Amino acid sequence: MGIRLHFWGAAQTVTGSSHHLECAGRNILLDCGLFQGRRQEAQEINTHLAMEPTQLGDQNGAGLSSVVLSHAHIDHSGNLPWLIRQGYRGPIYTTPSTIDLCDPMLKDSAHIQEGDAEFMNRRRGRRKIIGAPPGAEPVEPLYTQEDAAQVLRQFKPVKLHEPQLLEGSTKDAGFSVSLTNAGHMLGSACVLVEAVENGQTTRLLFSGDVGRKNLPIIQNPDAAPAADYLIMESTYGNRLHQPIGPVRQKLSRLVKRVAARGGRIIVPAFAVERTQQLVMLLHQLTDEKLIPELPIFVDSPLATSVTEVFRKHTEDWDREACEFYHQGDDPFGWEQLMYTRTVQESKALNDLHVPSIVMAASGMCEAGRILHHLKNGIEDPRNLILITGYQAANTLGRKLVDRLPEVNIFGEPMRLRAEVDSIGELSGHADQNELLAWMEPAVKGLKKVYLVHGEPLAQLALKEEIEKRYGLAVVCPKRGDRFAVS
Ligand SMILES: [Zn+2]
């Protein structure tokens, strides 16, 4: 009786979120995220799902009958096209905003997969020309734009706080879910799973990614609902963030300083959420005359598409963003702000030598249009490179944060003479204290906590803190671990 838990992705690591649950002969997946890492390891992990491909087309028997998606980030949603490619034709339940965000995000991810395969094949081809032994079969992309488009057809919208019986389940056997606001990104949800078998109900809460209070635009996380078991993320289980409050003053100070010396601000920004938050903050600061009126560019087709989704889903905005809107302001559009889609428009920005702000992906400066802007501006000490998110080891972004005197851009050594500063306050992930505070309302009923979506050190610190503060048993499962709970 109860639920069989099968941990598969984001187990002792931070990407590839995916957990398989079974109850009364019904199988569901919570998330189907892309594992991001070294090419070979990623290929191996992303092509092996928690269930056999033969079970994926069989929604009426013992196969996978439903998928529930917590939010649109690629490490939670990005392997859905592969699942579809393997034959899954059942529903994927999630919030309306998440569905709309997944449209540009999964297509962008498919575009990257296709480009990656093409690059590998070209490289192999070249080797052939110089007489190297012929390579294996041509590399196929993990999935294509067509697979991504098929995912969109299988989504089923679920409103927050409205219980949903999952496909293949009945009131007396199997699963229903209700989603609560996770406050992590637009449309993000925590998933309360209710599993019924032999007249007994087991409640399991899956946190998805837990956000923070007072982030711009999005609403605060809902209190954790009562549950018997909790699967919780632990990304920043060993970290404490700066408070969000002073970020406006800091941004205003930086913009004024750089504008006064005639410089430009180059912002490597994640296309989803961080760009929209910065845009709204800059709009507010401009209106309040706390920064001068500068031209501002969002130089990213993905960020531009995602901003359209933000505009559409006002029901998910917080009060501040709604009030701003009702005063007649579009948070994501005003005279000085321009969205550039084409490469020509992007290149034209290189000739602009007046104080301005350019935001472009990628957030860690590993690829994309930001590289052109950095190449163009990194050697001018009047400029500022403004880092807005986490920079993983060995990325160009990390080298900039570490202020290496020289960095390579497009294979060319460049001197780092621009100023570098960071605003980490807009992190979308709860820190240790915020995770502990979020789970607190559920603590009384909990029998056990499973930590996922964290590196081992972060998990260990959070595990110790939960055990000490709440006296709960905590497990950090590995990929493939199975548990039966009731
Ligand atoms: Zn996330």
Side-chain angles (χ1 to χ4, degrees):
M1 275 195 298
I3 313 179
R4 265 68 63 196
L5 309 176
H6 180 198
F7 289 92
W8 194 249
Q12 301 192 357
T13 182
V14 290
T15 64
S17 174
S18 192
H19 315 295
H20 167 206
L21 311 183
E22 192 264 316
C23 172
R26 275 76 167 178
N27 289 280
I28 67 168
L29 270 191
L30 301 176
D31 286 351
C32 189
L34 196 69
F35 176 86
Q36 292 149 309
R38 289 180 199 285
R39 186 189 300 267
Q40 215 161 5
E41 190 188 9
Q43 178 75 13
E44 166 66 23
I45 290 179
N46 288 323
T47 53
H48 287 89
L49 297 161
M51 298 191 68
E52 294 297 323
T54 48
Q55 295 177 289
L56 297 178
D58 175 22
Q59 283 106 54
N60 301 317
L64 183 66
S65 55
S66 296
V67 178
V68 185
L69 175 62
S70 65
H71 64 288
H73 278 147
I74 289 299
D75 60 326
H76 294 255
S77 71
N79 216 18
L80 284 168
W82 169 259
L83 185 76
I84 298 295
R85 206 177 164 88
Q86 300 310 297
Y88 178 65
R89 288 294 174 266
I92 302 161
Y93 298 93
T94 191
T95 64
S97 300
T98 300
I99 295 175
D100 285 343
L101 283 172
C102 278
D103 184 341
M105 290 173 72
L106 291 180
K107 284 179 183 158
D108 184 68
S109 179
H111 181 68
I112 293 169
Q113 296 295 340
E114 287 169 342
D116 214 40
E118 207 182 295
F119 171 79
M120 289 297 284
N121 288 331
R122 264 206 317 270
R123 218 168 63 165
R124 285 184 176 186
R126 266 207 304 276
R127 272 196 202 142
K128 224 186 244 176
I129 290 167
I130 58 166
E137 292 290 294
V139 175
E140 285 227 354
L142 184 65
Y143 51 77
T144 63
Q145 310 259 0
E146 247 166 74
D147 301 318
Q150 180 57 34
V151 173
L152 296 168
R153 291 192 272 275
Q154 288 175 229
F155 274 128
K156 281 211 168 161
V158 180
K159 285 194 179 147
L160 293 181
H161 313 294
E162 288 187 7
Q164 169 78 45
L165 187 67
L166 299 189
E167 178 93 7
S169 293
T170 65
K171 275 198 157 55
D172 305 318
F175 295 100
S176 59
V177 296
S178 19
L179 307 181
T180 61
N181 195 336
H184 165 68
M185 74 180 298
L186 195 82
S188 63
C190 306
V191 184
L192 179 66
V193 178
E194 292 201 303
V196 184
E197 190 176 38
N198 296 339
Q200 188 191 321
T201 303
T202 308
R203 286 167 309 168
L204 177 136
L205 176 61
F206 171 46
S207 73
D209 285 352
V210 181
R212 314 173 61 200
K213 288 182 181 166
N214 303 322
L215 283 172
I217 308 172
I218 53 172
Q219 296 165 12
N220 291 342
D222 287 331
D228 304 303
Y229 298 91
L230 170 63
I231 301 178
M232 186 166 80
E233 69 125 321
S234 51
T235 317
Y236 288 128
N238 58 349
R239 287 252 306 259
L240 297 177
H241 294 317
Q242 300 282 339
I244 295 167
V247 74
R248 281 164 49 90
Q249 289 90 314
K250 184 170 178 184
L251 193 57
S252 136
R253 234 180 10 250
L254 287 171
V255 174
K256 277 198 289 202
R257 193 168 73 215
V258 179
R261 64 183 188 226
R264 289 174 293 145
I265 302 181
I266 302 165
V267 190
F270 295 94
V272 186
E273 201 78 40
R274 198 60 42 84
T275 296
Q276 290 76 28
Q277 289 170 333
L278 282 169
V279 163
M280 192 178 94
L281 286 174
L282 289 167
H283 191 178
Q284 288 173 326
L285 292 172
T286 308
D287 276 7
E288 292 162 25
K289 306 214 177 307
L290 293 171
I291 56 171
E293 294 187 358
L294 304 176
I296 300 171
F297 301 92
V298 174
D299 186 22
S300 156
L302 178 60
T304 305
S305 304
V306 165
T307 303
E308 286 308 311
V309 180
F310 270 70
R311 273 208 180 96
K312 179 178 162 190
H313 286 282
T314 49
E315 78 279 8
D316 286 339
W317 295 7
D318 65 6
R319 208 171 56 197
E320 194 192 1
C322 287
E323 279 170 6
F324 195 49
Y325 182 65
H326 290 306
Q327 285 160 12
D329 270 313
D330 169 4
F332 311 114
W334 70 104
E335 305 82 63
Q336 288 100 24
L337 178 75
M338 274 147 278
Y339 291 89
T340 51
R341 275 197 189 262
T342 67
V343 175
Q344 286 82 347
E345 287 172 321
S346 172
K347 282 188 176 154
L349 299 182
N350 288 341
D351 302 325
L352 193 79
H353 292 289
V354 293
S356 54
I357 302 173
V358 179
M359 286 173 237
S362 75
M364 296 195 206
C365 313
E366 277 303 273
R369 293 182 177 183
I370 192 66
L371 291 177
H372 293 278
H373 299 299
L374 287 171
K375 185 162 187 265
N376 196 248
I378 196 170
E379 296 197 325
D380 185 341
R382 292 175 303 171
N383 294 344
L384 166 70
I385 300 167
L386 183 59
I387 303 290
T388 59
Y390 180 73
Q391 305 296 313
N394 303 318
T395 59
L396 175 57
R398 174 66 77 86
K399 289 173 190 160
L400 297 174
V401 171
D402 292 344
R403 289 215 58 91
L404 297 191
E406 199 174 272
V407 293
N408 271 334
I409 302 180
F410 296 124
E412 218 179 288
M414 310 283 303
R415 287 166 301 165
L416 172 54
R417 298 176 102 189
E419 182 188 355
V420 180
D421 210 326
S422 305
I423 38 174
E425 289 89 340
L426 295 176
S427 169
H429 279 279
D431 65 12
Q432 187 188 72
N433 280 341
E434 290 162 335
L435 284 170
L436 290 164
W438 174 78
M439 68 179 283
E440 216 244 317
V443 161
K444 226 170 82 188
L446 285 176
K447 297 177 189 169
K448 198 172 268 184
V449 179
Y450 299 89
L451 293 183
V452 295
H453 204 289
E455 299 293 350
L457 278 180
Q459 296 200 318
L460 189 64
L462 186 61
K463 172 181 154 73
E464 282 173 1
E465 217 39 52
I466 295 172
E467 287 169 343
K468 197 168 77 188
R469 197 178 295 193
Y470 299 134
L472 284 167
V474 182
V475 179
C476 304
K478 294 191 301 294
R479 179 178 171 88
D481 279 356
R482 292 172 188 267
F483 302 86
V485 302
S486 59

